[in-house]
Amino acid sequence: MTSKFLNYELFALTPVELKQRQSHGNVNYMDLDYVNNPIPQMPRSDFFKHGDIAVTKNNRFSYVPAHTHSFIELNYMYAGTCTQYINGEK
């Protein structure tokens, strides 16, 4: 894969990114119930449809709300910066 193709794929705006950039807020595209469960668990089924490893692009232009999951999440920054909080610690 060439870096030109990778840049095109990673920097292309998704529909969620367009909404988040316009609203300056988070779009709950997974319909998680933050009212009854302020720190919901991410559903495995949304990530592991094709095997035991999932590579996904996070949506930009908003924070990621607090959440939990029953799998390991490994973040890689291709460009830019990110501040992570795990169990309330920076």
Side-chain angles (χ1 to χ4, degrees):
M1 182 180 309
T2 67
S3 62
K4 184 177 179 180
F5 175 77
L6 185 59
N7 283 344
Y8 175 79
E9 287 294 310
L10 293 178
F11 292 114
L13 294 172
T14 68
V16 172
E17 288 175 335
L18 287 169
K19 289 178 185 176
Q20 290 185 162
R21 189 168 72 172
Q22 183 178 31
S23 70
H24 303 285
N26 185 266
V27 172
N28 184 6
Y29 66 95
M30 296 179 84
D31 293 323
L32 298 173
D33 184 3
Y34 287 98
V35 174
N36 295 310
N37 187 2
I39 305 179
Q41 185 169 57
M42 302 297 272
R44 279 184 75 85
S45 60
D46 287 0
F47 296 96
F48 302 104
K49 295 176 183 168
H50 305 290
D52 293 335
I53 297 175
V55 178
T56 60
K57 172 189 165 188
N58 277 1
N59 292 301
R60 299 170 288 168
F61 311 116
S62 177
Y63 65 95
V64 175
H67 63 277
T68 63
H69 30 69
S70 61
F71 51 89
I72 294 171
E73 178 179 15
L74 177 66
N75 292 309
Y76 175 82
M77 292 296 301
Y78 181 73
T81 62
C82 176
T83 302
Q84 291 269 293
Y85 291 89
I86 300 174
N87 294 330
E89 286 189 44
K90 189 173 181 179

